[in-house]
Amino acid sequence: QVQLVESGGGSVEAGGSLKLSCTLSGSTFGTNVVGWFRQGPWNGREQIAHIFNPGGATGYSDSVRGRFTISRDNARNTVHLQMRNLTPDDTGRYVCAAGRSTSWPRPVVDDYIYWGQGTQVTVS
């Protein structure tokens, strides 16, 4: 079992920045990817970023590419999502998930086995 706990959400003005963290605990053996998902007030769940371990390969959705950066601190078993130049469209609940993926060109939702509870981000 893997437990994931998100932190770092909050309220910010448009143009601002936030950094989210996803801390993993438990046995991560067998997982090779962590992803961030966003559930907006009007949109369905969207995978916005992912990072593979080992290797560190990353991917982003078109909606956040160039503004968000995903990274991993293996020493702390934590995955970060640095968000910059936020807009009201970025408002939503941000959830991290872990799983195992061999999908191409990016992980699919069914690849993710373990899910966190999420952290709310509000941009006004």
Side-chain angles (χ1 to χ4, degrees), residues 79-92:
V79 174
H80 300 290
L81 185 68
Q82 177 69 56
M83 307 186 295
R84 296 182 174 87
N85 195 19
L86 288 160
T87 75
D89 287 344
D90 295 315
T91 293

Side-chain angles (χ1 to χ4, degrees), residues 35-84:
W36 279 100
F37 291 77
R38 177 170 66 196
Q39 179 82 42
W42 303 285
N43 305 324
R45 182 172 53 188
E46 176 189 14
Q47 182 177 203
I48 57 173
H50 67 267
I51 185 167
F52 282 95
N53 185 49
T58 60
Y60 301 91
S61 65
D62 290 343
S63 62
V64 307
R65 187 177 294 112
R67 301 186 298 123
F68 291 12
T69 303
I70 190 170
S71 61
R72 181 163 189 145
D73 182 344
N74 284 332
R76 292 177 172 80
N77 244 3
T78 301
V79 174
H80 300 290
L81 185 68
Q82 177 69 56
M83 307 186 295
R84 296 182 174 87

Side-chain angles (χ1 to χ4, degrees), residues 1-7 20-36 51-54 70-81 96-98 114:
Q1 280 286 73
V2 178
Q3 294 78 43
L4 301 98
V5 178
E6 302 92 340
S7 60
L20 306 183
S21 297
C22 172
T23 302
L24 293 82
S25 61
S27 177
T28 58
F29 179 79
T31 64
N32 70 345
V33 65
V34 172
W36 279 100
I51 185 167
F52 282 95
N53 185 49
I70 190 170
S71 61
R72 181 163 189 145
D73 182 344
N74 284 332
R76 292 177 172 80
N77 244 3
T78 301
V79 174
H80 300 290
L81 185 68
C96 64
Y114 307 104

